Amino acid sequence: MGAEAWPSVIALIGVTVGGALSFAAQWVNHRAQDHQDNATRQEARRNERLSYLVTFLEVAQEAERTAMDQHLVRADEDEWRRRAGAVQDRLWAAQKTLHMLCQPAVAQSAHAFAQAVNHLLWHGPGAQSVRDFLHPTRNAFLDAARSDLERHAR
């Protein structure tokens, strides 16, 4: 190889190395952006689940108050039945939403809690206090929800 060929070879090596470094930098940047996009998406999904978990708890609390109005205070029957039916519908809709969005452990515990609240609504707590009646299923739901949220935390 002659002396006049060396500058061309060195230039070709420089272009090849520069191109490879540029490609590597773009690849790393793309991977970092993908990672950031994935983390942002996961956080948005976690916040969505949290919002629906809170909604479910709010509706369950409203159903609990409605049950107490009937079984402890003896509210007007027709008005109470209207309120109870409406809150029951919202409770089951909220539970079904959790079934779609959350892990099976959360969905199953939400279903068990909704069943307990529904029983309380229409039949009362029996010989137990309302707190004692709901405590096992409420705590199982809260524990499953917390575990799921922690697993999906950043």
Side-chain angles (χ1 to χ4, degrees):
M1 184 177 331
E4 61 276 349
W6 279 109
S8 297
V9 170
I10 291 172
L12 180 60
I13 291 171
V15 168
T16 303
V17 170
L21 289 174
S22 177
F23 175 78
Q26 288 177 2
W27 183 81
V28 167
N29 188 39
H30 180 71
R31 294 283 295 160
Q33 186 62 45
D34 282 351
H35 179 72
Q36 180 62 35
D37 290 348
N38 188 41
T40 300
R41 220 176 3 264
Q42 290 298 326
E43 183 65 19
R45 287 181 185 149
R46 181 184 180 280
N47 289 338
E48 179 185 30
R49 279 193 309 278
L50 179 60
S51 173
Y52 284 110
L53 290 164
V54 169
T55 297
F56 176 75
L57 285 171
E58 289 171 345
V59 175
Q61 184 64 41
E62 183 183 351
E64 185 178 331
R65 281 191 310 273
T66 301
M68 291 174 66
D69 285 350
Q70 177 60 11
H71 300 291
L72 300 178
V73 180
R74 299 287 182 210
D76 174 68
E77 185 71 22
D78 291 335
E79 172 63 19
W80 181 85
R81 284 194 173 282
R82 185 194 61 71
R83 281 179 42 224
V87 75
Q88 177 186 30
D89 289 344
R90 287 195 319 280
L91 178 68
W92 287 113
Q95 183 274 321
K96 289 171 186 164
T97 302
L98 295 183
H99 183 84
M100 291 185 301
L101 293 175
C102 296
Q103 295 296 317
V106 176
Q108 291 165 358
S109 62
H111 186 264
F113 182 39
Q115 283 181 315
V117 170
N118 192 61
H119 183 276
L120 175 69
L121 186 61
W122 296 107
H123 305 289
Q128 296 178 299
S129 70
V130 169
R131 181 196 174 286
D132 289 345
F133 182 80
L134 291 178
H135 182 78
T137 55
R138 178 188 288 132
N139 279 6
F141 167 71
L142 292 172
D143 291 345
R146 180 179 49 249
S147 176
D148 185 62
L149 289 169
E150 287 173 352
R151 183 175 44 243
H152 292 98
R154 284 177 107 178

